[in-house]
Structures are given as C-alpha cells and as structure tokens.
Amino acid sequence: MEENPLLKESELDYFAPDFTKITDAHYRPAFMKSMALQQERVQSICENSQTPTFENTIIALEKSGVEFEQVRSIFGALANAHINDTIKIIQKELSPKFAEHYDAIYLNSKLFERVKTLYNQRETLGLDAESYRLLVYFYEKFVLEGANLSEKDKEILKNYNSELASLQTQFNQDLLEANNASSQFFTDEKALDGLSEETLKGFATSDGKWKIPLLNTTQQPLLVSLKNRETRKQLFEASVHRADKGAYNTQDIIKKIVTLRAKKAHLLGFTNYAAWSLQQSMAKTPENVYRFFKNLVPAAVAKAREEAKEIQEKINKSGEKFALEPYDWNFYAEQVRKAKFDLDEDQIKPYFELKNVLEKGVFFAATKLYGITFKQRTDIPVYHPDVLVYEVFEEDGSKLGLFYGDFFARETKKGGAWMGNFVSQSKLLNKKPVIYNVCNYTKPAEGLPALLSYDQVETLFHEFGHALHGFFASQQYKSLSGTAVARDFVELPSQFNENWALHPEVLKNYALHYKTQEVIPQVLIDKIKKAGTFNQGYSFTEVLAAANLDLKWHTISSDTQIDNVHTFEKRALENTQLLVKEVPARYLSTYFAHIFGGGYAAGYYSYQWTEMLHHDVYNWFVENGGMTRANGQRFRDMILSRGNTLDYEKMYIDFRGKEPSIEPLLKARGLK
C-alpha cells in the first residue's frame, strides 16, 4: 500500500500527479484504503472525550479526507477526459460506495452533535471570518444532507443516494457509448460538400471513409457548412436520437433519477428537488429562477421568430421550396450573416490558431489584467500526449500553480468543455493549485494547424476564467477555496473572461494568420463585432429551453408518475412557452449530461443568471477605464480570490456597488 502513488504526496512540483507511476491497478486499492482512513479519522473525532473545539472537530474533519480527495481528483479527471474499460468498471462498482462513504460522515449522529454544539456557540468562539464561515458551511451541509432525520429515514436516504450514484454513472457511461455509436460515416465526398479540405482530412479514416463524430449539443457545428440537406438532416437526427433508442437508451435511467431525486427532497422536507438543491445558491428558490426567466423568455422567443422569418425568406430567395427545419437553421443563418455582415467563418478561422489564441490571447489578457505570466513545461508527466502544461507565476515572479490544457476531442473523452483541479489551493494543507482545462476541438490531420471558430475562441477564454478563479484562490480551507462556490456564482468568472476575446489590444495580439502572421484586419474585426448580436434569439432560446427543461424535471413532486420522457419534455417546453419548432433545446433530456450525469441538476439556469452578472461586471470595467492592471487587481481581490468566504450577493454588491441589473444582458443579446 505504501508504494501506491495515489496515496502518497507526489514528489513533482506542486504535488502534481505523476502519471509515469500511476496505473489503472492503483485506483481501486487507493480508493478502499483512503475511504477507510477517512472513516477511522471521523471515528476518532466522534470518540474524542474532550469537549468539542473548532480544532478537534472542524479542522479535524476538514483534514480527514486528504488522501480520498486526492485519489478522486485524479480518477475523476481521467474518467471524464481519458476513460477506458477498467476505469468504467471501477466507476460503476465504486460510485455507490462513494455515496455510502459520504453518508457515513454526514449522517453520523455523534459527529453532527459535535458540529451542532460548536455551531450553537459560534458567536462566542472568537473565530476569524473564514473559520466562522467554515463552521457554518459544515453545519448547513450536515443539515442539508439529512443529519436531522430519524435513524429510519437516514437508512431510506442512504438507499436513495447509493442508487442515484449508480444511475448517474450509468447515464454518463451509456451516453459516452451512445455518442461514439452515433458517429456518422460517409463514403461519398459529395455528401460533405461545403467542408474545407483541412476539415475533411481531419475526419478521414484509413479505409477511405469520413467519420463525423457527434459533439454533446443538439446542433452540430458542421451544420453551418454542409450544403447537402440530406446530410444535414442525417447528422441532426443522429444527434437528437443518439440516446433514445437501442442499447444506450437513457430514458429509463432518467425516469428513475428524477423520481428518486424528488423522493429524496420530500424526505428532507422540501416540496421538490430544486427547492432542496438551491438552498445555498445565489438565487435561493426555484420561484426566483422562474421570475428571472419571466423577463427573458418572451423577448428571446420573439427575436427567434423574427430570425426564423428572415431565414425562411433567404431559403425562398435561393429557389428552394421547403419550410425551415432545425437542421437548416445554422446553414442558412450563416448565409444571412454573410449577406448582412459580409462575414464568412472560413475567413476568420485562419486567424484563430489554437496555440496562438491560448498563449497570445488568453494568457496575454491574464497578464494585462492580473500581472501573471506563463512558461511551458515539458518535464511534467501528462495522461495523454495531446496535453500541454504551463507553470504560472505571480507578477513578482513567485510561483502560483500549474495549468494543463487538453483541447482535442477523442472517443475516450466526454463531450463539452470544463475545468477541474488535480490539486486544490489550501493554506492549511500548504497546497497551491494544479488546474486543468478540457475542450473538444477537432484535432487536425498531421502537419495542419488547429484552427478555431470564434465560438471556440470564446470557449477557451471561458474555461480559463474558471482556471483563474482556481489559481487566485487564497483560502485557509479547501472546502471554501476557489471554485467551491454555488453553481449560479461559479460561472461569473468564466463568462466574464470571455469579454476579453474581442478586446482590441488582446485580439490584435493573438489573431494572426497562421500562414502569413498577418494581424487580423480591422474590417474583419468590425464584422465580428457587428455580427455579435446576430442569431441571438436562436442561441438564447435554445439555452433557456434547456434551463427550463432542467427546472421542470426537478420541480416534480415525489408522487409524480413519469410515463414517457419525450411527452414530459414536450409538455415542459410548452408550459414555459419555449416549444419553438425550429429551435430545439441546446440539450434534450436523453443526452443532457449536465443534469443527469453531472452536478448541474436544477442548476443549468446558472449560465443565464451569471450571464446577467458578467455583463453587469463588464459594464463596471467600461465605466472605470476598461482593461487596466488596477481594475484586474480589484476584481481579483474582491471576487476571484474570495472563494466561498462571503455571501454571494454581498460579494457581488461590494464589488459592483449595487445589485445586478438585467439591462446589460438584454442589450448584449440584442434583445433591447
């Protein structure tokens, strides 16, 4: 056991995982040992005959799972970004055991009594602000997790949690298989008319075919370029139906998940899962979220209908005789955009080469705002050859952390883009952050550049915004550190960071033609900016539809009978006025991994909520001199470095000087 690299502190810089020593055979024993160690420590806390103190109870609890969290962080990263059959088996076997492990802590009556005793004395303990916050955090977490339930009800809850953990793992694994099984193969190049030669090379197989894999969203990026309507339809239908039939049909899993979540919420004393889930969020209640949407849905749908009319006119003028379908939208919207703004995506892409965007765009912006600098490291082991590693330094040259970038799609990686920590910041544990970003850009053929669309450029800035939130963490306690905040606050730093992608100083530094190194001409920049509000009715309606679908699934009562997933989905979208034939939800239920396989259940609204916050924050920057080092430092000091140490509304108002306004969001989306 002593030789298991997952159970020892790595000897690499920043305690980064040493992937030269870690094998699949290490995971299962490391999990079993680390869970046993934490349970032993928890038992010691409970059996301590001394009066509960912050040190012997809260600090001891905070430190109890160091090894377990280390193993989970590494295993979880690979389970999402580079899974294999062994990891799948371990994940399926151990996910219910993880739920049981946490239940053994948060449903432990003796442990809760010690925490509760300190919570009741919290005003007299002389704690500093962060320690006070940690005590309140643990007490509220115990209560939310069921510590006040009777012993009988705790057993029922344990069964719910164990089954949910298994179902969520099954959903993720089935969806990954469904995505891979739904890749579309073409033998006739004419079917792929509209794709560039470089793009075709990237999809070419060794047997003379072209393999088009599915990305996680309903709409597929290639639909913008594909001229053949039957091909567009084929790709769209494959996307929509990827997980609603055949071996990887997720409908039964979904019905079980939402029913169990509703029963769990009812057992814990809440009317529905969303009401329970939102307790520690900025929005607080599902009613507040619905109120927020009430101001957005009519404007978004009206704008989408205007856009649909304009696109139908474009189809008619082209001599075609068909009604606009979802798989036509992006192709003809691109034609409208070209006509309106003379903007062609293929004109832009040569200026957005991946490494340039990363180093001369994303990193450059971070240096201008926060003073941090970056140096590539090739001596740090990685879990896949495509992964890049950079060391990050403070303005004074002191060390800040390590950044890993894993940017290309592969069959072993789930869809989407995300940020995570291999090592989380904690002064108590003397740890600096080791952070990774994962994306799913198409890998180019050997010798060709990785060229991005502007949307993909924004994704790179977005995910690095999460990384900044993690790098600037300055907490004593890991439980409150960095991105350990509510879902409807965690997207603020990431969405805000997107604003710098088009900032003139930043854009001209990274948008260099990959062949000529010519800076992107001002005429193209102007076109990108003018087209910024184009198609926003569509893009906003599709995310609002997904968010409302999420809330509808998680506001059912514990006795609601779900007979058919598609029927429920249709009714949910009708009830929220978001069933627009030409505009499908960004994710339909059967492949909505955020809510059925990830941590966003009843929380997908957070993307729109924080969109309101980030536009409002950016307005503050504009009002106060824009991209200056001083403004960046203020944002770092008051938001990015605070973790979960303050009430979110107070944190926001302290920075902004007032409550968030929805007006900048509506203007940015062209809805006002």
Side-chain angles (χ1 to χ4, degrees):
M1 246 8 252
E2 287 69 26
E3 296 308 309
N4 192 318
L6 292 165
L7 293 174
K8 298 191 299 183
E9 284 198 331
S10 168
E11 294 176 6
L12 297 178
D13 289 352
Y14 304 93
F15 308 104
D18 190 344
F19 290 107
T20 63
K21 295 180 178 176
I22 298 167
T23 69
D24 291 345
H26 289 125
Y27 288 120
R28 186 183 280 101
F31 272 128
M32 301 314 291
K33 178 66 175 174
S34 62
M35 285 192 285
L37 279 171
Q38 185 168 19
Q39 293 299 344
E40 286 170 18
R41 290 169 189 153
V42 166
Q43 194 59 31
S44 294
I45 299 170
C46 296
E47 291 175 356
N48 191 333
S49 59
Q50 295 179 332
T51 302
T53 64
F54 185 78
E55 190 72 32
N56 71 22
T57 301
I58 302 302
I59 294 292
L61 181 58
E62 173 72 3
K63 292 165 74 173
S64 66
V66 169
E67 296 88 355
F68 179 57
E69 288 160 8
Q70 179 173 292
V71 182
R72 277 207 90 171
S73 68
I74 297 168
F75 180 82
L78 268 66
N80 287 324
H82 196 39
I83 200 166
N84 59 39
D85 289 342
T86 304
I87 290 176
K88 285 179 190 174
I89 292 166
I90 296 170
Q91 196 179 34
K92 189 176 282 192
E93 176 195 333
L94 294 187
S95 56
K97 293 189 186 301
F98 298 154
E100 291 162 17
H101 176 70
Y102 285 118
D103 283 343
I105 296 170
Y106 290 105
L107 300 180
N108 185 316
S109 300
K110 286 184 179 178
L111 183 59
F112 179 54
E113 277 307 309
R114 292 182 73 91
V115 173
K116 188 176 180 181
T117 297
L118 291 168
Y119 177 79
N120 290 336
Q121 299 169 359
R122 63 192 182 282
E123 304 298 345
T124 64
L125 296 176
L127 299 175
D128 62 80
E130 190 181 332
S131 297
Y132 182 96
R133 182 79 172 182
L134 184 70
L135 172 55
V136 172
Y137 164 82
F138 271 125
Y139 173 78
E140 289 180 348
K141 186 167 176 62
F142 271 89
V143 172
L144 271 176
E145 296 297 334
N148 280 324
L149 292 176
S150 68
E151 291 305 313
K152 180 185 173 185
D153 283 346
K154 283 180 183 177
E155 291 306 310
I156 296 171
L157 181 61
K158 287 175 185 177
N159 289 331
Y160 288 164
N161 288 341
S162 178
E163 192 173 350
L164 279 167
S166 294
L167 287 167
Q168 285 159 207
T169 296
Q170 188 68 54
F171 181 91
N172 280 332
Q173 292 191 0
D174 284 359
L175 181 55
L176 181 62
E177 297 293 343
N179 285 341
N180 291 336
S182 298
S183 294
Q184 299 297 293
F185 290 86
F186 296 90
T187 54
D188 183 358
E189 191 172 341
K190 288 179 184 175
L192 300 175
D193 187 19
L195 301 187
S196 68
E197 191 177 333
E198 289 88 350
T199 302
L200 284 170
K201 280 182 181 175
F203 292 128
T205 64
S206 58
D207 59 355
K209 298 176 184 175
W210 292 271
K211 179 184 179 182
I212 310 294
L214 291 186
L215 295 189
N216 60 325
T217 50
T218 297
Q219 289 285 18
Q220 300 296 300
L222 293 183
L223 295 180
V224 172
S225 306
L226 288 165
K227 294 180 180 179
N228 187 306
R229 191 169 191 239
E230 280 306 309
T231 302
R232 292 200 304 270
K233 182 178 181 181
Q234 179 180 332
L235 200 55
F236 179 81
E237 293 290 338
S239 175
V240 168
H241 296 299
R242 70 183 83 178
D244 65 6
K245 58 183 182 299
Y248 308 116
N249 187 338
T250 60
Q251 292 183 76
D252 286 342
I253 297 174
I254 288 169
K255 288 189 282 187
K256 289 174 185 174
I257 287 174
V258 294
T259 301
L260 279 171
R261 284 175 178 168
K263 287 181 176 179
K264 173 179 173 174
H266 180 73
L267 186 68
L268 290 164
F270 293 87
T271 53
N272 54 59
Y273 185 85
W276 172 78
S277 167
L278 294 175
Q279 286 295 297
Q280 294 182 313
S281 67
M282 193 172 175
K284 300 285 195 292
T285 69
E287 290 74 26
N288 285 340
V289 179
Y290 279 126
R291 259 193 297 277
F292 169 65
F293 282 145
K294 199 172 180 182
N295 295 317
L296 299 175
V297 171
V301 170
K303 183 79 170 174
R305 294 197 192 284
E306 281 177 32
E307 292 166 357
K309 188 177 176 185
E310 194 171 21
I311 292 169
Q312 185 66 61
E313 286 171 4
K314 183 70 178 175
I315 293 169
N316 297 344
K317 283 178 183 174
S318 71
E320 301 286 359
K321 300 290 184 188
F322 57 78
L324 170 65
E325 293 289 344
Y327 48 83
D328 299 313
W329 187 294
N330 288 343
F331 180 78
Y332 284 97
E334 181 66 7
Q335 310 307 307
V336 173
R337 182 169 75 155
K338 285 177 184 175
K340 262 188 156 181
F341 305 104
D342 192 25
L343 182 63
D344 185 341
E345 193 75 60
D346 287 335
Q347 285 181 294
I348 301 169
K349 278 187 173 184
Y351 294 95
F352 295 150
E353 190 276 321
L354 173 58
K355 207 166 181 194
N356 259 359
V357 178
L358 180 67
E359 295 181 347
K360 297 180 179 180
V362 175
F363 292 172
F364 176 78
T367 302
K368 297 295 291 183
L369 284 163
Y370 311 112
I372 60 176
T373 54
F374 305 81
K375 179 186 176 184
Q376 188 168 356
R377 295 279 299 263
T378 54
D379 59 324
I380 302 288
V382 292
Y383 57 87
H384 188 279
D386 288 343
V387 178
L388 303 173
V389 183
Y390 295 85
E391 189 169 10
V392 190
F393 300 91
E394 291 280 22
E395 195 166 26
D396 63 5
S398 59
K399 296 183 173 190
L400 183 58
L402 279 183
F403 173 73
Y404 294 59
D406 180 2
F407 300 118
F408 296 125
R410 53 181 172 266
E411 288 193 349
T412 58
K413 183 191 285 188
K414 76 172 188 178
W418 62 92
M419 164 268 186
N421 284 68
F422 284 127
V423 180
S424 294
Q425 180 274 336
S426 165
K427 292 177 185 175
L428 177 69
L429 302 174
N430 193 30
K431 295 287 175 67
K432 292 182 182 294
V434 178
I435 288 169
Y436 56 87
N437 278 172
V438 181
C439 297
N440 267 282
Y441 305 140
T442 300
K443 188 175 181 177
E446 190 68 36
L448 292 174
L451 303 180
L452 307 182
S453 67
Y454 182 67
D455 280 352
Q456 291 171 327
V457 169
E458 282 194 328
T459 298
L460 211 58
F461 276 84
H462 176 104
E463 295 307 331
F464 197 73
H466 284 307
L468 289 169
H469 199 184
F471 280 125
F472 293 153
S474 185
Q475 278 64 61
Q476 186 74 6
Y477 309 116
K478 178 180 177 289
S479 292
L480 304 176
S481 176
T483 57
V485 297
R487 290 287 179 199
D488 59 6
F489 200 78
V490 79
E491 296 297 334
L492 166 58
S494 54
Q495 292 193 359
F496 169 74
N497 205 53
E498 293 176 26
N499 286 291
W500 307 114
L502 272 183
H503 189 276
E505 189 178 358
V506 179
L507 186 65
K508 288 186 176 180
N509 197 62
Y510 76 82
L512 309 172
H513 197 287
Y514 77 97
K515 286 181 179 174
T516 65
Q517 293 304 297
E518 171 201 4
V519 176
I520 190 169
Q522 188 61 44
V523 65
L524 273 185
I525 298 172
D526 292 341
K527 287 176 183 179
I528 293 170
K529 287 183 176 177
K530 283 177 184 173
T533 58
F534 176 72
N535 210 40
Q536 288 299 311
Y538 180 98
S539 63
F540 205 31
T541 299
E542 70 164 356
V543 294
L544 287 171
N548 277 274
L549 187 55
D550 168 31
L551 275 180
K552 285 294 184 184
W553 276 121
H554 292 109
T555 49
I556 64 171
S557 65
S558 57
D559 56 0
T560 302
Q561 178 71 35
I562 307 294
D563 295 317
N564 184 283
V565 166
H566 293 309
T567 302
F568 181 93
E569 183 175 79
K570 184 181 178 187
R571 194 175 299 128
L573 293 173
E574 281 174 342
N575 290 344
T576 49
Q577 284 75 55
L578 283 160
L579 187 66
V580 182
K581 180 179 78 76
E582 303 89 349
V583 188
R586 185 170 176 80
Y587 304 96
L588 293 175
S589 305
T590 52
Y591 49 93
F592 204 164
H594 285 78
I595 66 170
F596 295 125
Y600 279 80
Y604 194 74
Y605 78 91
S606 60
Y607 288 101
Q608 294 84 58
W609 185 276
T610 49
E611 191 175 343
M612 168 181 69
L613 302 182
H614 97 74
H615 284 301
D616 201 37
V617 167
Y618 186 68
N619 263 22
W620 181 92
F621 270 76
V622 172
E623 293 160 7
N624 289 275
M627 182 180 241
T628 68
R629 181 69 188 80
N631 285 348
Q633 191 63 42
R634 185 174 186 271
F635 189 58
R636 173 177 176 171
D637 291 344
M638 299 182 77
I639 300 287
L640 296 178
S641 67
R642 299 308 296 263
N644 183 14
T645 59
L646 270 182
D647 174 80
Y648 304 120
E649 195 166 355
K650 175 173 171 44
M651 198 189 304
Y652 184 87
I653 292 171
D654 284 352
F655 175 82
R656 185 65 177 100
K658 62 185 182 71
E659 291 186 353
S661 166
I662 204 168
E663 296 303 309
L665 161 60
L666 294 173
K667 287 177 183 173
R669 286 280 188 173
L671 303 178
K672 191 160 185 176

